[in-house]
Amino acid sequence: MRPDLRTQQRDFLLEITRAITAQLDLSEVLRRVLYASLVMLAGRVGVVALSDKHDSRFTVRAYSGIAADDVPELNNKLQELMNPQDEGGFSREFLNSKLREMADEIDPRLAQSIAMPLVFAQKPLGLLIVFRSYQTSITPEDLNTLQSFADQAAIAVNNAQLYGELNQEHQRLEAILNNSGDGVFILNPDLTIQRVNYAFERMTGWRLEDAIDRPKDEIIVWDSLERPDIEDALEAGWARSDGALGRADTIYVEGDLLRRDGMTISIAITYAPLLTAEGRLESIIASVRDITNFRKAQELQSVFISTVQHELRTPITIIKGYASTLRRDDVQWDSETIRENVAIIEDEADRLTTLVEDLLTASKIQAARELRLNLADADLRAVAARSAARLESQTKHPIVLSFSANFPIVRGDETRLRQVIENLLTNAIKYSPEDTTITLGGRFTEKSVTVFVRDEGVGIPKDQIDKIFGRFYRVDDNLTSRTHGAGLGLYLVKAIVEAHGGEISVKSQVGNGSTFFFTLPRD
């Protein structure tokens, strides 16, 4: 080869190597490697195959001069080429034979094949193959030049693969961060906001573009705080190798956060330090969890325990008191007194049974998220008559029945529907002045039946009507404190009615009483 030609070749190789190594996009690197190879070797067809890091299979990743339909068969030939049958590994004859088969598969007119392995740090990355339409000799100097190019190409491929993996990992972490149910914000060491995710935006009302670079205490504004925040921990030496709290500790705080729109939510924040190799604080990762519902659940649990404790203790105390009185040996009770005391014991036992039944039903609903029904033909008019008779004997309220003639039989769980009617009647009795009338009636259409309970009681404020069917909820008024109940009755009524495919509603006006309706399908 003439010196000027060799110089031109060297200059071209240097130029193309710079162009290849300057790229980090793998597809573009492979395109440039393939182009340079075809130019250097005057090739007509070129293939770049890369090794799959999971199963070590070689697959075509870039090609020129080949139809797309031929690529699957080339991949098969590559597997045969990279997995020789003899244990001795590759031989020149085996390599030439397989390259010839590949050339024939592409175009029988291809006369010569040149294969260059792409190896980086003794790790095989892939294979570069160029096919020429003519046969010529290749000098040792040419081989050295080609190998030098292949080595540079391998470096460029390796860098592009690493960049691709890093970029993929970055995207994966971005997806995890942005789609996390918990809020996340990242702080610089000076406690300015570096990054927030979508959940944090929803919780606080602060958008990403508004929060970035702002001081943390402008974004996290506490309405109330139960323990010291991150500022106090940093002053105490948190996240320093010589700090009192130690460098690996996390900080947990919770309290009520004042959102940007002025509303308040309860949150818990866990701060974790991100340190450099030298132990210097690089940033602080903070995970934010909305604990509003958790706190409400805790409050409900406390109310429930307190209420149930009171509701259970009262009938038990009454039953025990009257039973102890009747057992006194120093008094001879007349039959009327005994009958009255036993009636009171029976009433309190019924009250206790109802409470326990309600608690068990509520527990089943919470555990199974649905209520199992024993469906059969149910005569609601007869159920209502029995319930009215039983409860009327225990109260001074007259209970009037007002059912349409020929009121139909429905498909339902009679025991549960009795529970609905008795809970509605019990509520009406509790919240109505003595001697006022309670009406229990029913109407029907071709498709449904409706049962209602009307009282002349205190009524329900409009702002509480949507809440009365909640678990453990009791209307907030002076009468509530003087009446018994665990706040489960209407919750169970709604659950039982909806389990039957029905609906529950109420009409009420403060001072003029309430009417509860439940509607069930006839079929």
Side-chain angles (χ1 to χ4, degrees):
M1 184 180 292
R2 298 193 309 272
D4 56 338
L5 185 60
R6 191 175 300 281
T7 300
Q8 291 176 9
Q9 187 183 53
R10 190 183 305 112
D11 291 343
F12 173 77
L13 181 60
L14 181 61
E15 180 182 347
I16 198 66
T17 299
R18 286 174 178 170
I20 292 171
T21 54
Q23 274 292 324
L24 288 175
D25 179 73
L26 182 59
S27 297
E28 182 62 20
V29 167
L30 296 179
R31 189 189 70 80
R32 293 189 179 191
V33 166
L34 191 56
Y35 167 76
S37 303
L38 292 172
V39 171
M40 290 174 59
L41 296 172
R44 203 179 95 191
V45 174
V47 172
V48 180
L50 296 184
S51 172
D52 189 299
K53 63 180 181 180
H54 298 295
D55 58 11
S56 299
R57 291 173 60 87
F58 278 72
T59 54
V60 174
R61 298 291 299 274
Y63 55 89
S64 177
I66 302 175
D69 294 341
D70 294 333
V71 172
E73 185 57 33
L74 282 181
N75 284 329
N76 294 332
K77 296 295 183 184
L78 277 170
Q79 303 321 309
E80 297 175 9
L81 175 64
M82 303 310 297
N83 296 287
Q85 298 298 314
D86 60 311
E87 296 182 1
F90 294 107
S91 65
R92 182 175 297 277
E93 291 76 14
F94 175 82
L95 180 61
N96 289 336
S97 170
K98 291 301 177 183
L99 289 174
R100 182 67 261 166
E101 289 179 14
M102 293 178 69
D104 290 341
E105 184 69 31
I106 299 167
D107 187 344
R109 292 173 297 176
L110 295 175
Q112 189 174 34
S113 306
I114 303 169
M116 292 175 284
L118 302 178
V119 179
F120 178 80
Q122 298 182 341
K123 180 179 72 173
L125 301 181
L127 189 65
L128 171 61
I129 307 174
V130 174
F131 299 92
R132 297 199 292 203
S133 55
Y134 63 92
Q135 185 85 26
T136 186
S137 61
I138 301 176
T139 67
E141 290 183 352
D142 291 335
L143 287 175
N144 289 336
T145 301
L146 292 175
Q147 188 58 55
S148 176
F149 169 74
D151 292 342
Q152 294 301 316
I155 294 172
V157 168
N158 183 70
N159 290 342
Q161 287 180 328
L162 290 177
Y163 176 77
E165 291 173 2
L166 288 173
N167 192 47
Q168 187 177 16
E169 181 67 13
H170 175 74
Q171 292 177 353
R172 188 174 72 88
L173 293 176
E174 282 283 307
I176 293 172
L177 178 67
N178 288 328
N179 295 298
S180 170
D182 289 341
V184 176
F185 65 98
I186 302 174
L187 295 171
N188 294 309
D190 62 356
L191 298 187
T192 55
I193 300 290
Q194 182 186 127
R195 174 72 193 275
V196 303
N197 71 344
Y198 298 144
F200 181 86
E201 291 182 351
R202 292 193 298 269
M203 287 182 192
T204 65
W206 281 90
R207 294 175 60 82
L208 171 67
E209 54 269 25
D210 298 329
I212 295 301
D213 295 329
R214 284 181 179 265
K216 171 249 172 191
D217 56 9
E218 288 186 16
I219 310 299
I220 306 297
V221 179
W222 295 107
D223 185 60
S224 64
L225 185 62
E226 296 184 2
R227 63 183 71 185
D229 203 354
I230 188 69
E231 291 85 353
D232 296 290
L234 286 171
E235 288 184 9
W238 178 72
R240 291 205 309 263
S241 57
D242 59 342
L245 297 180
R247 59 187 296 172
D249 289 339
T250 58
I251 301 296
Y252 178 85
V253 300
E254 64 178 59
D256 294 326
L257 175 74
L258 191 62
R259 286 169 43 93
R260 194 179 190 184
D261 58 11
M263 298 179 65
T264 302
I265 64 169
S266 298
I267 64 169
I269 303 179
T270 302
Y271 296 98
L274 183 62
L275 306 177
T276 65
E278 296 77 25
R280 180 173 54 84
L281 182 63
E282 178 72 20
S283 55
I284 300 169
I285 314 297
S287 175
V288 187
R289 176 158 294 182
D290 185 348
I291 59 172
T292 304
N293 290 335
F294 174 72
R295 286 193 166 186
K296 285 181 179 178
Q298 282 187 316
E299 184 178 345
L300 275 176
Q301 187 180 35
S302 298
V303 170
F304 167 71
I305 292 173
S306 175
T307 302
V308 169
Q309 184 181 30
H310 172 74
E311 291 298 317
L312 288 174
R313 182 182 293 160
T314 302
I316 290 173
T317 301
I318 294 173
I319 290 170
K320 184 176 181 180
Y322 277 89
S324 297
T325 300
L326 291 176
R327 287 183 66 246
R328 288 179 57 181
D329 296 330
D330 59 338
V331 180
Q332 292 294 324
W333 303 109
D334 59 79
S335 58
E336 182 63 26
T337 301
I338 293 174
R339 188 162 42 251
E340 290 177 356
N341 286 1
V342 170
I344 292 172
I345 291 173
E346 187 177 8
D347 288 344
E348 293 301 320
D350 287 342
R351 175 180 157 195
L352 190 60
T353 299
T354 300
L355 177 60
V356 171
E357 188 178 57
D358 286 351
L359 289 172
L360 289 174
T361 303
S363 177
K364 289 177 181 178
I365 293 172
Q366 284 298 109
R369 300 295 179 187
E370 63 181 6
L371 191 61
R372 293 180 179 271
L373 301 176
N374 296 317
L375 296 178
D377 288 344
D379 186 347
L380 289 181
R381 185 173 184 174
V383 172
R386 290 196 299 270
S387 296
R390 187 178 77 82
L391 292 174
E392 194 174 29
S393 67
Q394 304 173 13
T395 180
K396 296 180 180 181
H397 296 80
I399 300 177
V400 177
L401 294 177
S402 177
F403 279 82
S404 299
N406 301 318
F407 195 82
I409 302 296
V410 297
R411 190 76 173 165
D413 187 326
E414 191 169 293
T415 301
R416 295 299 187 191
L417 293 173
R418 174 190 60 76
Q419 202 173 354
V420 169
I421 292 172
E422 294 195 359
N423 270 320
L424 293 177
L425 285 175
T426 301
N427 261 18
I429 292 169
K430 284 181 185 178
Y431 297 106
S432 300
E434 290 186 358
D435 300 323
T436 57
T437 300
I438 294 170
T439 304
L440 170 59
R443 305 288 183 265
F444 67 93
T445 66
E446 290 184 3
K447 295 184 177 180
S448 64
V449 300
T450 298
V451 176
F452 65 88
V453 175
R454 182 185 302 120
D455 65 53
E456 300 172 12
V458 296
I460 304 168
K462 286 185 178 180
D463 62 340
Q464 299 189 49
I465 285 181
D466 292 337
K467 304 175 183 177
I468 59 175
F469 295 103
R471 192 163 51 119
F472 310 135
Y473 186 83
R474 303 188 72 203
V475 174
D476 186 15
D477 61 18
N478 293 330
L479 185 60
T480 302
S481 60
R482 302 195 302 271
T483 59
H484 301 291
L488 285 174
L490 292 179
Y491 167 75
L492 296 177
V493 164
K494 184 173 187 291
I496 293 170
V497 169
E498 289 182 348
H500 281 82
E503 297 178 350
I504 181 91
S505 61
V506 59
K507 292 182 180 179
S508 184
Q509 187 175 359
V510 174
N512 290 320
S514 305
T515 303
F516 284 84
F517 306 84
F518 70 88
T519 301
L520 303 178
R522 290 182 63 175
D523 184 5

